[in-house]
Amino acid sequence: ENPKDERQRRIAELAYDYDSKPRQRRLDCNLCGGKRFVTLTHRDRYGYAANADGCLRCGLVFLNPFMNAEAYAHFYTEVYRPLVSAYHGRRIDAESIQDEQRVYAVACGDFLESRVIEAGCKTLLDIGGSTGVVAHGLKERFDLQATVIDPAPMEIDVARSLGLQTVTGFVEDYDSGGATYDLIVLCQTVDHLLDVQLSLSKVRSLLSKRGLFFVDIVDFRAAYRRNGSVVGAVKIDHPYYIVEHTMSAYLRRNGFDVLAVDYAADHLHIGYLCAPAEREPDWLPAAEVVAEQWREIRSIQNPLP
């Protein structure tokens, strides 16, 4: 059995019926409100029939249709970790990922350190914080009061065991009771959100006046170039696929000024450290940048012999 067939066998054994899950079709681009899309692929890396569309106006790529909040809540609770484990052929769960998260926490702290110390941050909100390892690392390093939000109950249980304040759910639904935070981090999570626009707007409202916001993306361009395939870069656990120019648009439209950018050591993630600024609700990437994105994707899909 060759490795690809073995991988598909492992995924098939999970018997996850993606086709039966409730889904909704996006008629407006989440970033710019555009209504003209191009379909880039009809299947994801796991083999599921999942369409990825791109907005012709701004370049944002997203699953369309995509599962609703209830279906994703079940997916992250019951399916996500087993599916990723089946894909990679090794156990990936709330326990096994903690060593990797500790390494990530150190790298993230190194990137944030000078700005966090200068700003005198006292409180931390980690959105999509999983087992809380990253939040705990930042809490200990910078002496912060830390809160973690995540939709996966088992991972939140681990975070709570580390002495962190926890919220089970999505940031879109979070009621802080008027509290704001000096440091908000959205680590390896923005691609998983159901509504990036709404979430970033919520983050902006939760950020203190002199606060800092860190977010990193899986650079879709790096992913499809690395895979030599758009299909290989698309997966049902990521409703959105973001590149540098679409992330810049998201941040500027929602009132964030980028202070520093980090190309991660894995050459896949890009991190942004931001401060609050005036919103630029009409800011869009240049048309020629978006057009070049579609040309490059087409060349990846149809390489020269």
Side-chain angles (χ1 to χ4, degrees), residues 114-181:
S114 61
R115 297 282 188 172
V116 168
I117 293 173
E118 180 185 8
C121 296
K122 300 297 183 186
T123 54
L124 165 69
L125 178 65
D126 186 349
I127 299 168
S130 182
T131 60
V133 169
V134 174
H136 185 262
L138 296 176
K139 171 190 174 183
E140 295 295 303
R141 183 165 181 168
F142 301 120
D143 190 25
L144 303 170
Q145 296 177 10
T147 301
V148 173
I149 300 177
D150 197 273
M154 287 189 294
E155 301 193 15
I156 277 292
D157 287 344
V158 178
R160 191 176 300 115
S161 73
L162 295 175
L164 301 167
Q165 297 180 51
T166 60
V167 177
T168 305
F170 296 97
V171 68
E172 297 96 324
D173 305 317
Y174 176 52
D175 181 1
S176 71
T180 59
Y181 297 86

Coordinates of all heavy atoms in Angstrom, one line a residue, residues 114-181:
S114 N 9.9 43.0 23.5 CA 10.2 44.4 23.7 C 8.9 45.3 23.7 O 8.8 46.2 24.5 CB 11.1 44.8 22.6 OG 10.5 44.7 21.3
R115 N 8.0 45.0 22.9 CA 6.8 45.8 22.8 C 5.9 45.6 24.0 O 5.3 46.5 24.6 CB 6.0 45.4 21.5 CG 6.7 45.7 20.2 CD 6.6 47.2 19.9 NE 7.2 47.4 18.5 CZ 7.1 48.6 17.9 NH1 6.6 49.6 18.5 NH2 7.6 48.7 16.7
V116 N 5.8 44.3 24.5 CA 4.9 44.0 25.7 C 5.5 44.7 26.9 O 4.8 45.3 27.7 CB 4.8 42.5 25.9 CG1 4.2 42.2 27.3 CG2 4.0 41.9 24.8
I117 N 6.8 44.6 27.1 CA 7.5 45.3 28.2 C 7.3 46.8 28.1 O 7.0 47.5 29.1 CB 9.0 44.9 28.3 CG1 9.1 43.4 28.6 CG2 9.7 45.7 29.3 CD1 10.5 42.9 28.6
E118 N 7.5 47.4 26.9 CA 7.4 48.8 26.8 C 6.0 49.3 27.1 O 5.8 50.3 27.7 CB 7.8 49.2 25.3 CG 7.7 50.7 25.0 CD 8.0 51.0 23.6 OE1 8.1 50.0 22.7 OE2 8.1 52.2 23.2
A119 N 5.0 48.5 26.6 CA 3.6 48.9 26.8 C 3.1 48.6 28.3 O 2.0 49.1 28.7 CB 2.7 48.1 25.9
G120 N 3.8 47.9 29.1 CA 3.4 47.6 30.4 C 2.2 46.7 30.5 O 1.3 46.9 31.4
C121 N 2.0 45.7 29.6 CA 0.8 44.9 29.6 C 0.6 44.1 30.9 O 1.6 43.6 31.5 CB 0.9 43.9 28.4 SG 1.0 44.7 26.8
K122 N -0.6 44.1 31.3 CA -1.0 43.4 32.6 C -1.9 42.2 32.4 O -2.0 41.3 33.2 CB -1.6 44.4 33.6 CG -0.7 45.5 34.0 CD 0.6 45.0 34.7 CE 1.5 46.2 35.1 NZ 2.8 45.8 35.7
T123 N -2.8 42.3 31.3 CA -3.8 41.3 31.1 C -3.7 40.7 29.7 O -3.3 41.4 28.7 CB -5.2 41.9 31.3 OG1 -5.3 43.1 30.4 CG2 -5.5 42.3 32.7
L124 N -4.0 39.5 29.6 CA -3.9 38.7 28.3 C -5.2 38.0 28.0 O -5.8 37.3 28.9 CB -2.7 37.7 28.4 CG -2.7 36.6 27.4 CD1 -2.3 37.2 26.0 CD2 -1.7 35.5 27.8
L125 N -5.6 38.0 26.8 CA -6.7 37.2 26.3 C -6.2 36.4 25.1 O -5.7 37.0 24.1 CB -7.9 38.1 25.8 CG -9.1 37.3 25.2 CD1 -9.8 36.5 26.3 CD2 -10.1 38.3 24.6
D126 N -6.2 35.1 25.2 CA -5.8 34.2 24.1 C -7.0 33.6 23.5 O -7.7 32.7 24.1 CB -4.9 33.1 24.7 CG -4.3 32.2 23.6 OD1 -4.7 32.3 22.5 OD2 -3.4 31.4 24.0
I127 N -7.3 34.0 22.3 CA -8.5 33.5 21.5 C -8.1 32.3 20.7 O -7.2 32.3 20.0 CB -9.0 34.6 20.6 CG1 -9.4 35.9 21.4 CG2 -10.2 34.1 19.8 CD1 -9.6 37.1 20.6
G128 N -8.9 31.2 20.9 CA -8.6 29.9 20.3 C -7.4 29.3 20.9 O -6.5 28.7 20.3
G129 N -7.3 29.5 22.3 CA -6.0 29.2 23.0 C -5.8 27.7 23.3 O -4.8 27.4 24.0
S130 N -6.6 26.8 22.8 CA -6.4 25.4 22.9 C -6.1 24.9 24.4 O -6.9 25.3 25.2 CB -5.2 25.0 22.0 OG -5.0 23.6 22.0
T131 N -5.0 24.3 24.6 CA -4.8 23.7 25.9 C -4.2 24.8 26.9 O -3.9 24.5 28.0 CB -3.7 22.6 25.8 OG1 -2.5 23.1 25.2 CG2 -4.3 21.4 25.0
G132 N -4.0 26.0 26.4 CA -3.5 27.1 27.3 C -2.0 27.1 27.5 O -1.5 27.9 28.2
V133 N -1.3 26.3 26.8 CA 0.2 26.2 26.9 C 0.8 27.6 26.5 O 1.7 28.1 27.2 CB 0.8 25.1 26.1 CG1 2.3 25.2 26.1 CG2 0.3 23.7 26.7
V134 N 0.3 28.1 25.4 CA 0.9 29.4 24.9 C 0.5 30.5 25.9 O 1.4 31.3 26.3 CB 0.4 29.7 23.5 CG1 0.8 31.1 23.1 CG2 0.9 28.7 22.5
A135 N -0.7 30.6 26.3 CA -1.2 31.6 27.3 C -0.4 31.5 28.6 O 0.0 32.5 29.2 CB -2.7 31.5 27.6
H136 N -0.2 30.2 29.0 CA 0.5 30.0 30.3 C 2.0 30.5 30.2 O 2.6 31.1 31.1 CB 0.5 28.5 30.7 CG 1.1 28.2 32.0 ND1 2.4 27.8 32.2 CD2 0.6 28.4 33.3 CE1 2.7 27.6 33.4 NE2 1.6 28.0 34.1
G137 N 2.6 30.2 29.0 CA 4.0 30.6 28.8 C 4.1 32.1 28.8 O 5.0 32.7 29.4
L138 N 3.2 32.8 28.1 CA 3.2 34.3 28.1 C 2.9 34.8 29.5 O 3.5 35.9 29.9 CB 2.2 34.8 27.0 CG 2.5 34.4 25.6 CD1 1.4 34.9 24.7 CD2 3.9 35.0 25.1
K139 N 1.9 34.2 30.2 CA 1.6 34.7 31.5 C 2.8 34.6 32.4 O 3.1 35.6 33.1 CB 0.5 33.8 32.1 CG 0.2 34.0 33.6 CD -0.7 32.9 34.1 CE -0.8 33.1 35.6 NZ -1.7 32.0 36.2
E140 N 3.5 33.5 32.4 CA 4.7 33.4 33.3 C 5.8 34.3 32.8 O 6.5 34.9 33.7 CB 5.2 31.9 33.2 CG 4.2 30.9 33.8 CD 4.0 31.1 35.3 OE1 5.0 31.1 36.0 OE2 2.9 31.3 35.7
R141 N 6.0 34.5 31.6 CA 7.1 35.3 31.1 C 6.9 36.8 31.3 O 7.9 37.5 31.7 CB 7.3 35.0 29.6 CG 8.5 35.8 28.9 CD 8.8 35.3 27.6 NE 9.9 35.9 26.9 CZ 10.5 35.5 25.8 NH1 10.1 34.4 25.3 NH2 11.5 36.2 25.3
F142 N 5.7 37.2 31.2 CA 5.4 38.7 31.3 C 4.6 39.0 32.6 O 4.1 40.2 32.7 CB 4.7 39.2 30.1 CG 5.5 39.0 28.8 CD1 5.0 38.2 27.8 CD2 6.8 39.5 28.7 CE1 5.8 38.0 26.6 CE2 7.6 39.3 27.5 CZ 7.0 38.5 26.5
D143 N 4.3 38.0 33.4 CA 3.5 38.3 34.7 C 2.2 38.9 34.3 O 1.8 40.0 34.8 CB 4.3 39.2 35.6 CG 3.7 39.3 37.0 OD1 2.9 38.3 37.4 OD2 3.9 40.3 37.7
L144 N 1.4 38.1 33.5 CA 0.1 38.6 33.1 C -1.1 37.8 33.7 O -0.9 36.7 34.1 CB 0.0 38.4 31.6 CG 1.0 39.1 30.7 CD1 0.9 38.6 29.3 CD2 0.9 40.6 30.7
Q145 N -2.2 38.5 33.9 CA -3.5 37.8 34.2 C -4.0 37.3 32.9 O -4.3 38.1 32.0 CB -4.4 38.7 34.9 CG -4.0 39.3 36.2 CD -5.0 40.3 36.8 OE1 -6.1 40.4 36.3 NE2 -4.6 40.9 37.9
A146 N -4.2 35.9 32.8 CA -4.5 35.4 31.4 C -5.8 34.6 31.4 O -6.2 33.9 32.3 CB -3.4 34.4 31.1
T147 N -6.5 34.9 30.3 CA -7.8 34.2 30.0 C -7.7 33.5 28.6 O -7.2 34.1 27.7 CB -9.0 35.2 30.0 OG1 -9.0 35.9 31.2 CG2 -10.3 34.5 29.7
V148 N -8.3 32.3 28.5 CA -8.3 31.5 27.3 C -9.7 31.3 26.8 O -10.5 30.9 27.6 CB -7.5 30.2 27.5 CG1 -7.7 29.3 26.2 CG2 -6.1 30.4 27.8
I149 N -9.9 31.5 25.6 CA -11.2 31.2 24.9 C -11.0 30.1 23.9 O -10.1 30.2 23.1 CB -11.9 32.4 24.2 CG1 -12.2 33.5 25.2 CG2 -13.2 31.9 23.5 CD1 -12.7 34.7 24.5
D150 N -11.7 29.0 23.9 CA -11.6 27.9 22.9 C -12.9 27.1 22.9 O -13.5 26.9 23.9 CB -10.4 27.0 23.3 CG -10.0 26.1 22.1 OD1 -10.6 25.1 21.9 OD2 -9.1 26.6 21.3
P151 N -13.3 26.6 21.7 CA -14.6 25.9 21.6 C -14.5 24.4 22.0 O -15.5 23.8 22.1 CB -14.9 26.0 20.1 CG -13.6 26.1 19.4 CD -12.7 26.9 20.4
A152 N -13.3 23.9 22.2 CA -13.1 22.5 22.5 C -13.0 22.2 24.0 O -12.0 22.6 24.6 CB -11.8 22.0 21.8
P153 N -14.1 21.6 24.6 CA -14.1 21.4 26.0 C -12.9 20.7 26.6 O -12.4 21.1 27.7 CB -15.4 20.7 26.3 CG -16.2 21.0 25.1 CD -15.3 21.1 23.9
M154 N -12.4 19.6 26.0 CA -11.3 18.9 26.5 C -10.1 19.7 26.6 O -9.3 19.6 27.5 CB -11.1 17.6 25.7 CG -12.2 16.5 25.9 SD -11.8 14.9 25.1 CE -11.8 15.4 23.4
E155 N -9.8 20.5 25.6 CA -8.6 21.4 25.6 C -8.8 22.5 26.6 O -7.8 22.9 27.3 CB -8.4 21.9 24.2 CG -8.2 20.7 23.2 CD -7.6 21.1 21.8 OE1 -7.1 22.2 21.7 OE2 -7.7 20.3 20.9
I156 N -10.0 23.0 26.8 CA -10.2 24.0 27.8 C -10.0 23.5 29.2 O -9.4 24.1 30.1 CB -11.6 24.6 27.7 CG1 -11.7 25.7 26.6 CG2 -12.1 25.1 29.0 CD1 -10.9 27.0 27.0
D157 N -10.3 22.2 29.4 CA -10.1 21.5 30.7 C -8.6 21.5 31.0 O -8.2 21.7 32.2 CB -10.6 20.1 30.7 CG -12.1 20.0 30.7 OD1 -12.7 21.0 31.1 OD2 -12.7 18.9 30.4
V158 N -7.7 21.3 30.0 CA -6.3 21.3 30.2 C -5.8 22.7 30.6 O -5.0 22.9 31.5 CB -5.5 20.8 29.0 CG1 -4.0 20.9 29.2 CG2 -5.9 19.4 28.6
A159 N -6.4 23.7 29.9 CA -6.0 25.1 30.2 C -6.4 25.5 31.6 O -5.6 26.2 32.3 CB -6.7 26.0 29.1
R160 N -7.6 25.0 32.0 CA -8.0 25.3 33.4 C -7.1 24.7 34.4 O -6.8 25.3 35.5 CB -9.5 24.9 33.6 CG -10.1 25.4 34.8 CD -11.6 24.9 34.9 NE -12.4 25.4 33.8 CZ -12.9 24.6 32.9 NH1 -12.8 23.3 32.9 NH2 -13.6 25.2 31.9
S161 N -6.6 23.5 34.1 CA -5.7 22.8 35.0 C -4.4 23.6 35.2 O -3.7 23.4 36.2 CB -5.4 21.4 34.6 OG -4.5 21.4 33.4
L162 N -4.0 24.5 34.3 CA -2.8 25.3 34.4 C -3.1 26.6 35.2 O -2.1 27.4 35.3 CB -2.3 25.7 33.0 CG -1.9 24.5 32.1 CD1 -1.5 25.0 30.7 CD2 -0.7 23.8 32.7
G163 N -4.3 26.7 35.7 CA -4.6 27.9 36.6 C -5.0 29.1 35.8 O -5.0 30.2 36.3
L164 N -5.4 28.9 34.5 CA -5.8 30.0 33.7 C -7.3 30.2 33.8 O -8.1 29.2 34.0 CB -5.5 29.7 32.2 CG -4.0 29.5 31.9 CD1 -3.8 28.9 30.5 CD2 -3.2 30.8 32.0
Q165 N -7.8 31.4 33.6 CA -9.2 31.7 33.5 C -9.6 31.2 32.1 O -8.9 31.4 31.1 CB -9.6 33.2 33.6 CG -9.2 33.7 35.0 CD -9.5 35.2 35.1 OE1 -10.7 35.6 34.8 NE2 -8.6 36.0 35.6
T166 N -10.8 30.5 32.0 CA -11.2 29.9 30.7 C -12.6 30.2 30.3 O -13.5 30.5 31.2 CB -11.0 28.4 30.8 OG1 -11.9 27.9 31.8 CG2 -9.6 28.0 31.0
V167 N -12.9 30.3 29.0 CA -14.2 30.4 28.4 C -14.3 29.4 27.3 O -13.5 29.4 26.4 CB -14.4 31.9 27.9 CG1 -15.8 32.0 27.2 CG2 -14.2 32.9 28.9
T168 N -15.4 28.6 27.4 CA -15.6 27.6 26.4 C -16.6 28.2 25.3 O -17.7 28.5 25.7 CB -16.2 26.3 26.9 OG1 -15.4 25.8 28.0 CG2 -16.4 25.2 25.8
G169 N -16.1 28.4 24.1 CA -16.9 29.0 23.1 C -16.1 29.7 22.1 O -14.9 29.6 21.9
F170 N -16.8 30.6 21.3 CA -16.2 31.4 20.2 C -16.2 32.9 20.7 O -17.0 33.3 21.4 CB -17.1 31.3 19.0 CG -17.1 29.9 18.4 CD1 -18.2 29.0 18.6 CD2 -16.0 29.4 17.6 CE1 -18.2 27.7 18.1 CE2 -16.1 28.1 17.1 CZ -17.1 27.3 17.3
V171 N -15.1 33.6 20.2 CA -15.0 34.9 20.6 C -16.1 35.8 20.1 O -16.5 36.8 20.8 CB -13.6 35.5 20.1 CG1 -13.6 35.6 18.5 CG2 -13.3 36.9 20.7
E172 N -16.8 35.4 19.0 CA -17.9 36.2 18.5 C -19.0 36.3 19.6 O -19.8 37.3 19.6 CB -18.4 35.6 17.2 CG -17.5 35.6 16.1 CD -16.8 34.3 15.9 OE1 -16.4 33.6 17.0 OE2 -16.5 33.9 14.8
D173 N -19.1 35.3 20.4 CA -20.2 35.3 21.4 C -19.7 35.7 22.8 O -20.5 35.7 23.7 CB -20.7 33.8 21.5 CG -21.2 33.3 20.2 OD1 -21.8 34.0 19.4 OD2 -20.9 32.1 19.9
Y174 N -18.5 36.1 22.9 CA -17.9 36.4 24.3 C -18.4 37.7 24.8 O -18.3 38.7 24.1 CB -16.4 36.3 24.2 CG -15.7 36.7 25.5 CD1 -16.0 36.1 26.7 CD2 -14.7 37.7 25.4 CE1 -15.3 36.4 27.8 CE2 -14.0 38.0 26.6 CZ -14.3 37.4 27.8 OH -13.6 37.7 28.9
D175 N -18.9 37.7 26.0 CA -19.3 38.9 26.7 C -18.2 39.2 27.9 O -18.2 38.4 28.9 CB -20.7 38.8 27.3 CG -21.1 40.1 28.0 OD1 -20.4 41.0 28.1 OD2 -22.3 40.0 28.6
S176 N -17.4 40.2 27.7 CA -16.3 40.4 28.7 C -16.8 41.3 29.9 O -16.1 41.6 30.8 CB -15.2 41.2 28.0 OG -15.6 42.5 27.7
G177 N -18.1 41.7 29.8 CA -18.6 42.5 30.9 C -18.0 43.9 30.9 O -17.9 44.6 31.9
G178 N -17.5 44.4 29.7 CA -16.9 45.7 29.6 C -15.4 45.7 29.9 O -14.8 46.7 29.7
A179 N -14.9 44.5 30.2 CA -13.4 44.5 30.4 C -12.7 44.5 29.1 O -13.1 44.1 28.1 CB -13.1 43.2 31.2
T180 N -11.5 45.2 29.1 CA -10.6 45.2 28.0 C -9.3 44.5 28.4 O -9.0 44.3 29.6 CB -10.3 46.6 27.5 OG1 -9.7 47.4 28.5 CG2 -11.6 47.3 27.0
Y181 N -8.4 44.2 27.4 CA -7.2 43.5 27.6 C -6.0 44.3 27.0 O -6.1 44.9 25.9 CB -7.3 42.1 27.0 CG -8.4 41.3 27.7 CD1 -9.7 41.3 27.2 CD2 -8.1 40.4 28.7 CE1 -10.7 40.6 27.8 CE2 -9.0 39.7 29.4 CZ -10.3 39.7 28.9 OH -11.3 39.0 29.5

